[in-house]
């Protein structure tokens, strides 16, 4: 894993913006606290297609390739494989530390749930839960609050 | 001359950005997918592109750096001079060069006693006119050759522009003129008595830059172009390589090359004499002969049968010529691919099955040695060293020549 409990990066929102703090207007940072840096790295990859980042051509999951596919168990398996390979290819997450579930929640929509071993334990436990829905008709990804 | 400000490169910009992010925001995550890394890379790249554009724009206004259209504009602005256009090589009849002549006395003998009319558009050529290769010239006007003449001069112009149509004497010996009665016997022939050298390509940037510089008195006195011209006007000098600082600060070495890169003491001294006009306090310009790299080859060749002495001598001469030609052909690229040369020599010689080598350091040749010395060194002596790579890289001041060739024959029995 290229992240550890001391890693600090700029905070990148799920909307794709830098975050500026309300109190002093300074740029926000993501670190191991609340595992924000880990969540950010994962979401950045899953929300990107290869080629979106000009100078980082390796980044991306290409979930858009599943747009228009039937919402079946086979498609869910393909999405699962794609996410696992994207996150484990360069050891961002070890395979043993990652669990991915893809479940249908509507005709064209699946809920994607990731359990990842946390950089630092949180009140909820040793794992970070990340969830988002993916609309295979509109190619839209919406983060979901898990366990809230 | 103005200099481009020393702009910081994109790597420096990237380093500074990273440093600032680390110091001010505590960022320490620089993996390729990190947000800060992505932002820094992009900003640094944009800075690099902007600086490159700035440098390009700046240099396009500098006489020493401008090329192409930029140089054309500078020529107009600074000296009011235009780049020389390409021209057709031409031959004029008054120069008595391109000649039609009869091989049977006068022209009347070739055409039933009548005058011969050579029309405009007749092609004279170095090869058969019907061939697509060769240099072709076109007769420019209709010529009526009186029957009593035995030779007649005409004007002609090259079909193609540029120096490619420049020719030596006695090259234009074919024509497509057939309008005479005994044309089947090819009794009318043609030739050019003198070389034709007035075809010209588009003027090169280097030459044009020099001409512009001559219009600007403040830079005419001492610059690389003037040093070059001081040397090139010496008869026998074909090229000069000018290397500032070669012998230390305040020195300029001017390497002198004659035909085939050779140089002599007399040639170097003549260039040095001319360079004296360029000497100024604090600057020592020294003419030196080019550095000659002599290649000695040890070769073991495998042949299908045992060759007698005569056959061996023929093959040795052939290989020697091939090696010389190949060294010279690769010389301009500065890299001599010795391994490739060995393969080419083998492929071009059906008598050679293969070359054998017990030394992996110089593939295919048994051994290759180089000796390095100034071209005017008496006896051409110097330290001899073995080449331990499959290629040899020539310096800017170096040229190559073939030394000793030692071939051992091993026949398949």
């Amino acid at each position: 894993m290229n992240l550890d409990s001391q890693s600090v990066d700029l905070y990148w929102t799920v909307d794709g913006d830098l975050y500026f703090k309300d109190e002093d207007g300074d740029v926000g940072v993501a670190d191991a606290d609340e595992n924000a840096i880990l969540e950010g790295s994962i979401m950045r990859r899953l929300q990107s297609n290869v080629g979106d980042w000009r100078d980082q051509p390796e980044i991306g999951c290409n979930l858009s390739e599943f747009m228009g596919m039937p919402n079946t168990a086979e498609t869910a398996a393909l999405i699962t494989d794609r996410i696992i390979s994207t996150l484990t290819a360069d050891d961002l997450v070890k395979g043993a530390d990652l669990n991915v579930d893809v479940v249908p929640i509507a005709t064209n929509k699946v809920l994607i749930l990731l359990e990842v071993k946390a950089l630092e334990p949180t009140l909820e436990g040793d794992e970070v839960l990340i969830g988002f829905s993916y609309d295979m008709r509109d190619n839209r990804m919406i983060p979901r609050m898990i366990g809230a | 001359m103005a200099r481009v400000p020393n702009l910081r490169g994109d790597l420096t910009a990237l380093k500074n950005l990273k440093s600032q992010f680390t110091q001010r925001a505590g960022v320490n995550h620089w993996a390729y997918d990190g947000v800060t890394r992505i932002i820094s890379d992009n900003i640094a790249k944009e800075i690099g592109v902007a600086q490159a554009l700035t440098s390009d724009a700046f240099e396009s206004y500098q006489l020493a750096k401008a090329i192409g259209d930029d140089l054309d504009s500078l020529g107009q602005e600074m000296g009011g001079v235009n780049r020389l256009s390409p021209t057709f090589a031409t031959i004029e009849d008054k120069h008595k060069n391109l000649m039609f002549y009869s091989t049977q006395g006068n022209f009347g003998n070739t055409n039933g006693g009548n005058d011969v009319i050579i029309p405009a558009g007749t092609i004279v050529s170095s090869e058969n006119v019907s061939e697509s290769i060769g240099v072709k010239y076109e007769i420019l006007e209709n010529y009526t050759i009186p029957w009593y003449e035995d030779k007649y001069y005409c004007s002609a112009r090259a079909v193609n522009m540029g120096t490619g149509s420049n020719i030596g004497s006695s090259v234009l010996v074919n024509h497509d003129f057939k309008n005479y009665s005994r044309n089947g016997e090819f009794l009318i022939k043609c030739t050019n008595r003198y070389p034709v050298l007035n075809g010209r390509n588009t003027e090169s940037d280097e030459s044009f830059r020099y001409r512009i510089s001559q219009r600007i008195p403040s830079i005419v006195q001492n610059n690389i172009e003037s040093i070059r011209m001081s040397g090139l006007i010496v008869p026998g000098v074909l090229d000069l390589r000018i290397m500032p600082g070669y012998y230390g600060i305040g020195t300029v070495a001017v390497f002198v090359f004659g035909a085939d890169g050779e140089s002599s003491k007399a040639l170097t001294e003549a260039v040095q004499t001319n360079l004296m006009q360029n000497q100024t306090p604090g600057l020592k310009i020294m003419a030196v002969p080019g550095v000659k790299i002599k290649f000695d080859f040890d070769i073991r060749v495998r042949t299908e049968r045992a060759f007698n002495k005569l056959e061996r001598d023929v093959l040795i001469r052939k290989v020697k010529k091939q090696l010389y030609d190949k060294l010279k052909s690769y010389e301009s690229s500065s890299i001599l691919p010795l391994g490739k040369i060995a393969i080419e020599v083998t492929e071009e010689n059906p008598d050679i099955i293969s070359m054998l080598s017990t030394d992996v350091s110089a593939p295919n040749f048994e051994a290759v040695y180089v000796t390095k010395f100034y071209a005017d060194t008496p006896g051409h002596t110097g330290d001899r060293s073995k080449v331990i790579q499959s290629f040899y890289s020539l310096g800017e001041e170096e040229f190559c020549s073939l030394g000793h060739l030692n071939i051992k024959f091993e026949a398949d029995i």
Side-chain angles (χ1 to χ4, degrees):
Chain A
M1 184 181 285
N2 60 22
L3 292 169
D4 58 36
S5 59
Q6 303 300 314
S7 298
V8 180
D9 197 1
L10 292 179
Y11 192 88
W12 190 253
T13 69
V14 289
D15 297 328
D17 277 328
L18 288 173
Y19 171 68
F20 293 93
K21 291 182 276 190
D22 289 338
E23 56 269 28
D24 54 9
D26 201 0
V27 66
V29 295
D31 52 23
D33 187 31
E34 300 285 319
N35 291 291
I37 192 167
L38 177 62
E39 285 188 31
S41 286
I42 291 171
M43 288 304 291
R44 206 156 42 248
R45 290 189 186 200
L46 299 186
Q47 288 180 306
S48 304
N49 283 331
V50 170
D52 283 352
W53 302 89
R54 187 184 64 182
D55 293 327
Q56 276 75 23
E58 305 92 343
I59 298 178
C61 184
N62 287 352
L63 282 184
S64 61
E65 288 178 6
F66 297 100
M67 188 170 63
M69 291 179 71
N71 193 353
T72 61
E74 287 77 15
T75 303
L78 290 172
I79 293 174
T80 304
D81 285 350
R82 177 68 59 84
I83 291 173
I84 291 174
S85 65
T86 300
L87 298 182
T88 57
D90 62 347
D91 270 357
L92 173 67
V93 178
K94 291 192 186 313
D97 299 338
L98 172 67
N99 185 42
V100 179
D101 277 326
V102 179
V103 291
I105 54 174
T107 310
N108 301 305
K109 210 178 279 185
V110 290
L111 179 66
I112 300 174
L113 294 164
L114 286 82
E115 291 176 62
V116 188
K117 185 182 177 188
L119 294 172
E120 283 193 344
T122 62
L123 292 175
E124 286 81 27
D126 290 344
E127 290 179 333
V128 180
L129 297 178
I130 298 171
F132 58 92
S133 63
Y134 176 61
D135 190 320
M136 289 190 288
R137 185 179 62 187
D138 299 337
N139 187 32
R140 200 164 52 164
M141 185 185 286
I142 300 173
R144 302 281 177 177
M145 301 294 283
I146 306 295
Chain B
M1 179 163 288
R3 296 277 176 206
V4 182
N6 190 15
L7 301 172
R8 284 184 297 184
D10 50 352
L11 281 178
T12 309
L14 181 60
K15 196 174 163 189
N16 289 344
L17 274 170
K18 283 183 170 180
S19 170
Q20 292 295 320
F21 275 123
T22 302
Q23 287 174 21
R24 297 191 173 205
V27 171
N28 61 12
H29 178 61
W30 296 107
Y32 72 97
D33 61 344
V35 176
T36 324
R37 166 75 179 272
I38 293 170
I39 291 173
S40 303
D41 282 354
N42 275 280
I43 293 174
K45 195 167 190 176
E46 290 302 324
I47 290 173
V49 169
Q51 292 186 346
L53 288 172
T54 306
S55 295
D56 287 350
F58 194 85
E59 288 181 350
S60 70
Y61 288 105
Q62 303 302 309
L63 182 57
K65 299 279 187 179
I67 55 173
D69 291 344
D70 295 329
L71 191 60
D72 290 347
S73 302
L74 274 182
Q76 274 291 322
E77 291 169 13
M78 299 175 77
V81 287
N82 291 315
R83 190 187 295 269
L84 296 175
S85 307
T87 59
F88 290 100
T90 55
I91 303 170
E92 292 194 35
D93 48 14
K94 65 185 178 188
H95 294 152
K96 298 191 182 305
N97 189 351
L98 177 62
M99 176 178 78
F100 283 88
Y101 61 96
S102 165
T103 56
Q104 288 286 315
N106 58 38
F107 280 96
N109 294 339
T110 68
N111 196 27
N114 298 315
D115 294 348
V116 171
I117 298 172
I118 297 180
T122 299
I123 298 292
V124 291
S125 167
S126 60
E127 309 292 334
N128 278 335
V129 177
S130 57
E131 301 273 347
S132 58
I133 57 171
V135 179
K136 290 184 171 64
Y137 280 64
E138 183 178 8
I139 302 296
L140 293 177
E141 52 188 286
N142 294 323
Y143 288 97
T144 302
I145 305 177
W147 64 269
Y148 50 82
E149 295 282 3
D150 59 358
K151 60 179 179 290
Y152 203 81
Y153 295 99
C154 301
S155 296
R157 190 179 68 188
V159 171
N160 296 313
M161 269 187 175
T163 55
S165 295
N166 289 348
I167 50 172
S169 58
S170 306
V171 169
L172 300 175
V173 293
N174 298 285
H175 63 77
D176 64 352
F177 171 62
K178 292 189 172 64
N179 192 21
Y180 58 104
S181 59
R182 296 174 68 185
N183 69 69
E185 298 170 63
F186 305 107
L187 299 179
I188 295 180
K189 296 188 182 300
C190 64
T191 188
N192 60 303
R193 298 172 63 202
Y194 311 110
V196 182
L197 301 171
N198 54 8
R200 187 179 66 206
N201 292 333
T202 304
E203 188 176 23
S204 67
D205 283 342
E206 194 172 317
S207 166
F208 187 35
R209 182 176 293 123
Y210 172 70
R211 284 202 305 119
I212 298 171
S213 72
Q214 293 303 295
R215 298 293 187 99
I216 305 166
S218 60
I219 61 174
V220 167
Q221 182 61 34
N222 211 359
N223 56 28
I224 285 181
E225 278 79 8
S226 90
I227 291 173
R228 186 185 301 282
M229 287 310 294
S230 297
L232 285 177
I233 58 176
V234 174
V237 175
L238 295 185
D239 193 14
L240 296 170
R241 312 259 167 87
I242 299 165
M243 302 182 75
Y246 191 80
Y247 291 111
I249 295 171
T251 66
V252 175
V254 179
F255 287 92
V256 180
F257 297 93
D260 265 351
E262 297 286 351
S263 197
S264 69
K265 199 164 188 297
L267 205 61
T268 311
E269 284 175 354
V271 172
Q272 183 67 60
T273 303
N274 280 14
L275 289 175
M276 295 312 285
Q277 64 186 349
N278 298 89
Q279 304 278 14
T280 54
L283 178 66
K284 189 169 186 182
I285 308 173
M286 287 174 284
V288 280
V291 176
K292 190 170 187 173
I293 309 291
K294 189 174 73 174
F295 286 83
D296 298 331
F297 291 89
D298 284 352
I299 303 175
R300 283 169 59 208
V301 298
R302 193 158 67 90
T303 55
E304 278 185 352
R305 58 184 175 80
F307 280 13
N308 61 33
K309 185 172 185 316
L310 182 63
E311 289 173 325
R312 288 182 179 197
D313 288 345
V314 169
L315 186 58
I316 289 171
R317 276 200 300 276
K318 192 173 174 188
V319 170
K320 192 178 277 187
K321 182 172 186 322
Q322 283 175 308
L323 285 174
Y324 179 81
D325 290 345
K326 292 188 185 304
L327 287 176
K328 283 299 174 189
S329 72
Y330 284 113
E331 186 180 66
S332 58
S333 67
S334 299
I335 301 288
L336 303 173
L338 299 171
K340 189 178 172 191
I341 288 174
I343 292 169
E344 288 175 356
V345 169
T346 307
E347 288 176 349
E348 291 168 18
N349 269 303
D351 292 331
I352 300 176
I353 297 174
S354 64
M355 288 193 188
L356 305 170
S357 174
T358 52
D359 188 349
V360 293
S361 60
N364 302 317
F365 290 118
E366 181 71 7
V368 181
Y369 301 92
V370 293
T371 313
K372 201 175 200 179
F373 48 85
Y374 285 110
D376 65 349
T377 306
H380 286 185
T381 54
D383 291 338
R384 187 173 187 248
S385 55
K386 189 174 182 182
V387 180
I388 56 169
Q389 286 176 300
S390 62
F391 63 88
Y392 189 88
S393 179
L394 291 174
E396 199 177 338
E397 74 280 19
E398 296 172 345
F399 67 100
C400 61
S401 73
L402 183 62
H404 298 294
L405 178 62
N406 179 23
I407 300 187
K408 289 179 181 166
F409 290 84
E410 295 187 10
D412 278 2
I413 305 296

